[in-house]
Amino acid sequence: MSTETTAATNAKAIDYGLDNWRKLHIDQQPTWAEHPDYAPTIAELNALPPLVFAGEVDAMRSQLAEVAEGNAFLLQGGDCAETFEGATADKISGRVKTLLQMAAVLTYGASMPVVKMGRMAGQFSKPRSSDMETRGEVTLPSFRGETVNGYDFTPEARAHDPKRMLRGYHTSASTLNLIRAFTKGGFADLRSVHAWNRGFTDNPNHARYEQTAREIGRALKFMEACGVDFSALKTTDLYTGHEALVLDYERALTRIDSRTDLPYDTSAHFLWIGERTRGLEDAHVDFLSKVRNPIGVKLGPTTTAEDAIALINKLDPNREPGRLTFITRMGAGMIREKLPAIVEGVQREGAKVVWVTDPMHGNTISVPSGYKTRRFNDVMDEVRGFFEVHEALGSFPGGIHVEMTGDDVAECLGGSDPVNEEEFADRYESLCDPRLNHAQSLEIAFLVSEYLKGRRGTK
Ligand code: PEP
Ligand code: MN
């Protein structure tokens, strides 16, 4: 990474336009610019080492290019909002384990490599529909994720505190350290991952997935019998990604790489722009257009084909496969109606993006008890709609983006081993959106694997 002098680095930042966003309209930001800790915190973040390295970011972009070409599939999953307290060894290993289990099943279904990415090690800031939250007589700033403020409903906790960005950085560093250890240290061995999945399919509620699990087991035995070198299957790459929301943080972690002389946002391998901050002339799109990382944009049901094309022109002017991922989150009732025009528009433009479904954010409902939840069947219906639309238009359904955890929480309703509303009182843990629990996550992977197999069959 860069060994440039500060003055030279600053000059390059100006050349690359890394601070243009400061002149533009920006939504969903903390109000901490006048805070006495603001400037020292930014200075400290500027001096900290990168969390990810430019070479890894480039490798991920190349793998995403394979997804754009229809030769690999992308799995992205993790918490809606990570928490500092939740960054424990048990919870991180549970999430990594679940992602690896899902990836093994998807690899089999797709007969393709699966690019794995956690919504992990940096997913600490949240856009909100309202700046303020009222409970009874009291109105306070909304919770915006732990790099901005605290969840407790007190004036102290809800105050925007720039120093929280440092805790976000250090928590991301320790999470990433564990992810690297787990994925490189033997934990990711495909044979153990398959054995864990047998635990899932041995549950009579999941009997319908047993056949697929048996087929994977046979494939592994076949490889072993052929003398395949399993050492290659003992380690894997698990990339990190989060919503690039708080631009003070993203800008402070952006570095000019000494090898390529180009800017990389080193807070994560992949950054995405949320549905609420994708305005074409706004700060988030401008800032992310300047960094070399692969970029995602969430597209909700109001997106037009023109919007999508304008985003491509701004974020991927060189039409570089792997650079841009569109993460559609239309809702089960809208996907079949809204997605085709967007895909056709992008096809007419001759652009190659990665198409990913986020079947979570268009399917959030509130139940009378006050909890936000999602029905497993709605989630699956959106996934099915996504596959149908891409199948009909000849585009490649490149991946799935889910909010999930490795724990046995009760936050989303349904699944074969169904979660009911009565269980929320004891096992609803998310501070933000409801996540699929361990079993629901695996079930999605088995179902998507079946679609992918079907797709292969029709080729
Ligand atoms: C999210 O991914 O948690 C999120 C807020 O998504 P969206 O921008 O699609 O609403
Ligand atoms: Mn969410």
Side-chain angles (χ1 to χ4, degrees), residues 80 119 126 361 374 403 432-433:
C80 176
R119 279 179 70 115
K126 298 307 301 172
H361 288 90
R374 290 154 175 160
E403 289 184 340
C432 208
D433 289 338

Side-chain angles (χ1 to χ4, degrees), residues 79-81 119 123 126-127 243 272-277 298-300 327 329 358 361 374 401 403 432-433:
D79 282 329
C80 176
R119 279 179 70 115
Q123 178 56 22
K126 298 307 301 172
E243 178 173 350
W272 76 85
I273 302 170
E275 163 71 358
R276 293 168 190 76
T277 51
K298 294 282 203 95
L299 300 180
I327 307 167
R329 30 87 85 222
D358 162 2
H361 288 90
R374 290 154 175 160
H401 176 126
E403 289 184 340
C432 208
D433 289 338

Side-chain angles (χ1 to χ4, degrees), residues 245-319:
L245 184 68
V246 175
L247 291 192
D248 282 330
Y249 181 77
E250 303 303 336
R251 171 65 187 91
L253 282 174
T254 297
R255 308 277 187 269
I256 310 292
D257 172 43
S258 53
R259 186 181 47 103
T260 57
D261 210 27
L262 293 169
Y264 287 73
D265 182 342
T266 66
S267 71
H269 302 103
F270 180 95
L271 285 317
W272 76 85
I273 302 170
E275 163 71 358
R276 293 168 190 76
T277 51
R278 61 175 167 80
L280 193 65
E281 304 299 332
D282 295 352
H284 289 83
V285 171
D286 185 85
F287 177 70
L288 288 163
S289 74
K290 314 285 200 243
V291 296
R292 276 297 282 150
N293 307 61
I295 302 299
V297 187
K298 294 282 203 95
L299 300 180
T302 60
T303 315
T304 62
E306 291 68 40
D307 294 335
I309 293 164
L311 284 164
I312 294 173
N313 288 335
K314 186 112 183 197
L315 291 166
D316 182 24
N318 300 325
R319 303 289 199 269

Side-chain angles (χ1 to χ4, degrees), residues 169-218:
Y169 170 91
H170 291 293
T171 309
S172 299
S174 55
T175 302
L176 200 45
N177 183 50
L178 212 49
I179 292 175
R180 292 187 197 279
F182 282 142
T183 50
K184 303 297 173 199
F187 185 79
D189 190 313
L190 191 59
R191 288 164 296 186
S192 341
V193 174
H194 177 61
W196 301 331
N197 276 344
R198 291 312 296 253
F200 167 82
T201 51
D202 284 350
N203 174 337
N205 288 316
H206 304 136
R208 65 164 291 206
Y209 306 114
E210 221 186 308
Q211 171 69 17
T212 303
R214 245 199 315 266
E215 285 172 25
I216 299 175
R218 286 233 308 276

